[in-house]
Amino acid sequence: MQADYVIIGAGSAGCAMAYRLAEAGREVIVIEHGGTDAGPFIQMPGALSYPMNMARYDWGFMTEPEPHLGGRRLACPRGKVIGGSSSINGMCYVRGHARDFDHWRDEGAAGWGYADVLPYFKRLENWHDSGHGGDPGWRGHDGPLHVTRGRRDNPLTRAFVEAGRQAGYPVTDDYNGWQQEGFGPFDMTVWKGRRWSAANAYLKPARKTGKCQVVNALARKVVIRDGRARGVEVLRRGQVEEIGAREEVIIAASSINSPKLLMLSGIGPGAHLAEHGIDVVADRAGVGQNLQDHLELYIQMASRQPVSLYSYWNLLGKAYVGARWLFTRTGPGASNQFESAAFIRSRAGVDYPDIQYHFLPLAVRYDGKAAAEGHGFQAHVGPMRSLSRGEVTLRSADPADAPRILFNYMSHESDWEDFRSCIRLTREIFAQEAFENYVKHEIQPGEAVQSDDELDDFIREHVESAYHPCGTCRMGRRDDPNAVVDPECRVIGVEGLRLADSSIFPRITNGNLNAPSIMVGEKAADHVLGRAPLAPENAEPWIHPEWKTVQR
């Protein structure tokens, strides 16, 4: 079995590349260990907490005990299904801030500044403004990925934006357009009431071309002969086989599995590979390093009025939501319920937002357990640019073993300062007049938790991953000893091998990572095909004119 290109991983970037390569007439095989995305739980936006916690769809990774979080082990879900994590995520669509990509460029990822990536964001998008305003000129309108907005019927979603305005923050019509900073509507990858994953947007159309096939198998390693990637060794139906690549092998297996596969293939830190008896093909110190994530806290309020989604938090309510979605693709089940967002700066002197909010008109945990108080609402809040860095390393040379994942969360004093700011700024927002008729009391952290030490104890015990791991195969200059791929996504030190997914991010972007991961797949496909990149667009984003002296 062979094809022109063999892609490992049918996730956000892998699906985009499969589509673009097949569209160009190339033969593509996509290797995916997970199975089908058929079934209501995975396609129904309102049921997002289910697939993320189902072994059928999730690799089920856990971190090592995190030393700065009292030894807690945190969940690190990654999609094991066609569509990858885009099939189990919260469907929030955030490109990232223009300055994020300019930072990539300045760190050695030439050709990946905002002017370079904006045309690719436009190419991938089919943006529907739903009459909510926004910046049409900054958005794409005929791409494969449908991007919509929720109806924002719930009064709490509107109160959140109004409270931000009352607290003195800007309001923005489109954080994915000219102005990220401020409070406004949230974009989501939902179309006609259904999750619009990378599988729905890209992989299924790619398969219809007749040029792309998906092979259900576990990739064990890249087969490298004479310094060139020749194919992929897989375990399929209990047998070890080799799938050949006439042109190139492309790894797109996530920021957890991509570095693992490189190391199993002999590409990584030489001493670490030798520990596991793996022959070194290319000694690349950066493989598995530079691991980053976003952490968040849920600041929860009990509601005076029965207006939250808790009304549906019973057997009858869930049955109604499910039936309505099943038959009409409408109602609460047709939205991820993250319908209002905000990006703000933590203090004066920060030039672009470093805090993100997801607002939810329900007090609930990500695993679907509702707060005991009943009606309530919450803001998910966290800093965007932590200095903490972790690593993904091999547990053993057995491809069936999960790698060791250590994020080293909260290892910098600035992380603690940032989170204390997050809590205090959120309390101030919930204290505005817009919430006067809704706030009954603070569920968590709770009004008694005020001092730095008390807040730190709360953070240590309750902080959760926002599930945005990235950075473990950093893109940079070919002469950078810590870079793993060059700006054309070629793995440095091996011919015929590329890698394109969130692991190549030099630094984490603002917000959720699905959109920039798909963008990476789109742009990488042009590099693979040897095409000239899309022409840069020098669009100047809004930066607060007084950022040096004011926080808002």
Side-chain angles (χ1 to χ4, degrees):
M1 186 184 287
Q2 61 173 359
D4 297 332
Y5 296 97
V6 178
I7 299 172
I8 306 172
S12 300
C15 289
M17 286 186 287
Y19 174 73
R20 294 301 178 191
L21 296 176
E23 181 188 50
R26 306 302 202 276
E27 284 185 9
V28 183
I29 290 174
V30 182
I31 299 166
E32 172 55 50
H33 186 43
T36 175
D37 64 346
F41 280 139
I42 204 165
Q43 297 294 341
M44 176 178 165
L48 64 90
S49 67
Y50 290 98
M52 197 179 287
N53 292 288
M54 291 169 73
R56 177 181 166 187
Y57 300 129
D58 173 28
W59 282 87
F61 296 132
M62 297 292 291
T63 71
E64 297 300 296
E66 288 287 344
H68 306 282
L69 296 180
R72 286 168 61 203
R73 299 185 70 197
L74 275 64
C76 180
R78 293 290 86 196
K80 188 179 69 175
V81 56
I82 61 164
S85 295
S86 77
S87 289
I88 67 167
N89 69 358
M91 290 155 282
C92 297
Y93 182 84
V94 183
R95 288 172 167 181
H97 194 281
R99 292 274 167 100
D100 293 328
F101 302 103
D102 289 346
H103 179 270
W104 287 14
R105 177 199 63 208
D106 297 345
E107 287 287 295
W112 290 80
Y114 186 63
D116 305 300
V117 302
L118 178 57
Y120 286 96
F121 278 119
K122 287 186 173 182
R123 183 168 92 178
L124 70 88
E125 279 178 3
N126 191 337
W127 184 67
H128 307 266
D129 70 355
S130 318
H132 290 302
D135 295 337
W138 289 67
R139 307 302 294 267
H141 303 278
D142 51 11
L145 191 76
H146 290 287
V147 179
T148 59
R149 290 175 173 176
R151 291 167 55 90
R152 304 177 83 210
D153 291 337
N154 192 292
L156 294 166
T157 58
R158 300 192 296 276
F160 181 69
V161 175
E162 179 57 20
R165 192 189 65 75
Q166 289 170 353
Y169 293 102
V171 170
T172 178
D173 262 351
D174 189 356
Y175 64 78
N176 278 317
W178 177 57
Q179 179 180 335
Q180 187 188 68
E181 186 170 340
F183 284 66
F186 224 143
D187 284 353
M188 57 183 170
T189 49
V190 172
W191 178 235
K192 295 184 175 174
R194 182 170 163 228
R195 175 192 289 275
W196 201 250
S197 65
N200 287 332
Y202 287 101
L203 190 63
K204 290 168 189 177
R207 294 172 87 167
K208 284 179 184 164
T209 65
K211 292 287 185 181
C212 172
Q213 63 171 312
V214 178
V215 173
N216 186 243
L218 174 68
R220 291 166 51 88
K221 66 176 183 180
V222 178
V223 177
I224 299 166
R225 287 191 284 270
D226 304 323
R228 184 176 184 87
R230 307 288 178 178
V232 182
E233 181 182 289
V234 301
L235 181 68
R236 183 173 178 233
R237 299 178 187 147
Q239 301 292 315
V240 175
E241 301 176 18
E242 184 177 321
I243 297 175
R246 289 187 285 266
E247 299 286 339
E248 291 185 353
V249 173
I250 305 165
I251 302 176
S254 84
S255 54
I256 307 300
N257 276 326
S258 289
K260 174 190 161 184
L261 269 166
L262 282 181
M263 289 186 278
L264 289 173
S265 310
I267 304 159
H272 178 58
L273 301 187
E275 276 173 33
H276 293 289
I278 297 170
D279 292 339
V280 179
V281 173
D283 188 350
R284 301 305 303 173
V287 175
Q289 302 302 302
N290 193 44
L291 175 62
Q292 301 161 62
D293 191 14
H294 289 138
L295 284 174
E296 61 183 13
L297 286 168
Y298 306 165
I299 310 300
Q300 295 181 327
M301 299 286 168
S303 177
R304 289 177 190 277
Q305 297 189 40
V307 291
S308 79
L309 297 174
Y310 190 74
S311 306
Y312 303 109
W313 220 255
N314 54 64
L315 210 56
L316 209 59
K318 288 181 180 179
Y320 162 75
V321 170
R324 185 172 169 189
W325 181 82
L326 211 53
F327 293 114
T328 68
R329 295 289 189 267
T330 62
S335 168
N336 61 359
Q337 298 305 332
F338 291 118
E339 296 185 348
S340 288
F343 291 90
I344 65 172
R345 293 174 299 113
S346 59
R347 59 190 182 279
V350 175
D351 61 342
Y352 71 101
D354 59 343
I355 292 174
Q356 180 186 16
Y357 284 105
H358 299 66
F359 179 77
L360 191 63
L362 177 68
V364 69
R365 294 197 327 220
Y366 233 132
D367 61 8
K369 294 189 171 67
E373 275 86 348
H375 280 283
F377 48 92
Q378 67 194 33
H380 299 206
V381 62
M384 292 289 96
R385 293 189 289 283
S386 166
L387 297 175
S388 296
R389 295 292 181 270
E391 62 178 14
V392 173
T393 51
L394 293 177
R395 194 175 301 279
S396 78
D398 183 351
D401 272 358
R404 288 180 73 260
I405 304 165
L406 182 73
F407 283 95
N408 204 24
Y409 290 126
M410 305 297 290
S411 55
H412 280 258
E413 180 52 39
S414 60
D415 294 330
W416 298 90
E417 291 166 12
D418 289 346
F419 261 109
R420 284 180 225 128
S421 296
C422 284
I423 295 169
R424 289 173 172 142
L425 291 168
T426 308
R427 283 171 161 169
E428 184 193 6
I429 291 160
F430 282 146
Q432 299 301 311
E433 191 184 332
F435 277 113
E436 197 175 1
N437 292 328
Y438 298 119
V439 171
K440 188 176 172 187
H441 62 261
E442 188 177 296
I443 300 172
Q444 73 170 35
E447 278 107 344
V449 180
Q450 293 293 340
S451 71
D452 283 3
D453 285 347
E454 288 166 340
L455 291 175
D456 287 353
D457 287 343
F458 173 76
I459 294 162
R460 195 175 294 109
E461 197 175 330
H462 291 280
V463 79
E464 295 287 347
S465 171
Y467 310 136
H468 301 162
C470 64
T472 49
C473 301
R474 185 170 73 77
M475 174 168 50
R477 293 183 307 277
R478 289 188 79 87
D479 61 359
D480 179 344
N482 291 311
V484 177
V485 302
D486 71 8
E488 292 196 9
C489 301
R490 295 175 294 210
V491 174
I492 300 166
V494 182
E495 295 296 310
L497 181 60
R498 290 193 209 233
L499 193 156
D501 58 24
S502 66
S503 58
I504 74 168
F505 294 11
R507 188 176 71 181
I508 198 164
T509 54
N510 266 14
N512 312 68
L513 300 193
N514 186 230
S517 299
I518 293 174
M519 179 277 290
V520 162
E522 283 271 7
K523 191 169 186 301
D526 275 2
H527 293 308
V528 171
L529 290 165
R531 291 177 172 167
L534 298 179
E537 283 188 46
N538 292 307
E540 279 297 315
W542 186 85
I543 299 289
H544 196 298
E546 298 167 58
W547 66 266
K548 288 180 180 173
T549 53
V550 299
Q551 181 255 332
R552 64 189 85 168

